[in-house]
Amino acid sequence: QNGVMSGLMQMLLLKVSAHITEQLGMAPGGEFREAFKEASKVPFCKFHLGDRPIPVTFKRAIAALSFWQKVKLGWGLCFLSDPISKDDVEKCKQKDLLEQMMAEMIGEFPDLHRTIVSERDIYLTYMLKQAAKQIELPRASENEPRRYIPAVVVGVVGMGHVPGIEKNWNSDLKIQEIMSVPPPSASSKIFKFVLKATVFGLLGYGCYRIGHRTVQFVLSMPAAQSYLQRLTEVPQH
């Protein structure tokens, strides 16, 4: 539904999520599920899913990577087997270590960092600012002055997004550009064509081989040979 490359990337990231769950005994994203649970206990609380839709992020991330970067990233995700402990997770809460990890990601995949982290920093900041707008109180008449009360907002975000949100908070943000999905590149079109041609070619060859062997097997059966022999004898009679 979301395209070949996007679908493959989602499958690989689900594999990573399963690996983390197996190692730690808890699934990633537990803080968001906990936030939803707590919000349901607060009267008149509105719960917003404030992140950019996953298909948009994936498609923009994939479009930003070159063919070899996609291969390198996919290879790394396929063979991810490093052990993860709860102590490792606690270390990631240290600001210096987190910044170091982000810097390594920027160095290896700068375009991926831009689409998955930096652009989402902007989107999350925009959504938080929208939620934090003052609430206008109802007025008894048009002549009554407008009165506002501040909104109370609790934002639950990943640690890696906090510096970006702080940086973008006082900026005039526009999200139209980071919501658009760029058209597929020429290399992406060629890769899709080659992949489809390979898959259909293998399927066709497999069907031919199975069909050929099936025909040979049927013809080798005594009943089939006897029937064919009778058919060849009919013109002679």
Side-chain angles (χ1 to χ4, degrees), residues 22-196:
E22 184 182 3
Q23 293 284 317
L24 299 178
M26 55 184 175
E31 66 273 30
F32 305 120
R33 287 186 284 274
E34 194 65 29
F36 179 76
K37 195 188 302 178
E38 291 299 317
S40 64
K41 300 175 185 177
V42 181
F44 308 109
C45 178
K46 293 181 180 179
F47 185 84
H48 296 283
L49 298 173
D51 204 349
R52 184 170 64 178
I54 289 176
V56 176
T57 298
F58 275 156
K59 286 179 181 178
R60 286 186 63 84
I62 290 165
L65 294 174
S66 67
F67 175 77
W68 292 115
Q69 283 179 319
K70 291 171 187 173
V71 172
K72 185 179 179 182
L73 179 64
W75 182 266
L77 292 175
C78 277
F79 295 96
L80 180 73
S81 58
D82 296 335
I84 304 167
S85 67
K86 292 184 180 180
D87 290 337
D88 294 330
V89 177
E90 291 301 318
K91 287 177 185 175
C92 290
K93 294 179 182 179
Q94 299 173 19
K95 188 176 179 182
D96 294 342
L97 184 61
L98 186 64
E99 288 176 354
Q100 180 185 338
M101 291 169 62
M102 298 297 278
E104 288 175 2
M105 182 181 175
I106 294 170
E108 196 166 3
F109 297 103
D111 294 323
L112 195 66
H113 180 274
R114 174 176 54 80
T115 51
I116 290 184
V117 180
S118 300
E119 289 183 359
R120 285 173 60 226
D121 288 346
I122 294 171
Y123 190 90
L124 288 165
T125 308
Y126 178 85
M127 296 300 286
L128 278 169
K129 289 181 76 171
Q130 293 298 308
K133 284 182 176 180
Q134 289 186 327
I135 302 168
E136 183 179 354
L137 294 174
R139 293 184 294 167
S141 66
E142 290 292 330
N143 297 326
E144 187 179 342
R146 296 178 185 273
R147 291 183 300 157
Y148 299 89
I149 58 171
V152 179
V153 180
V154 178
V156 180
V157 299
M159 291 179 296
H161 291 292
V162 174
I165 291 172
E166 291 176 346
K167 175 186 171 184
N168 291 308
W169 189 259
N170 293 318
S171 304
D172 183 22
L173 303 173
K174 292 179 174 61
I175 61 170
Q176 289 80 4
E177 184 180 343
I178 62 172
M179 288 300 292
S180 62
V181 178
S185 62
S187 61
S188 177
K189 289 179 181 178
I190 293 170
F191 176 76
K192 285 181 182 178
F193 175 78
V194 171
L195 184 64
K196 285 180 180 179

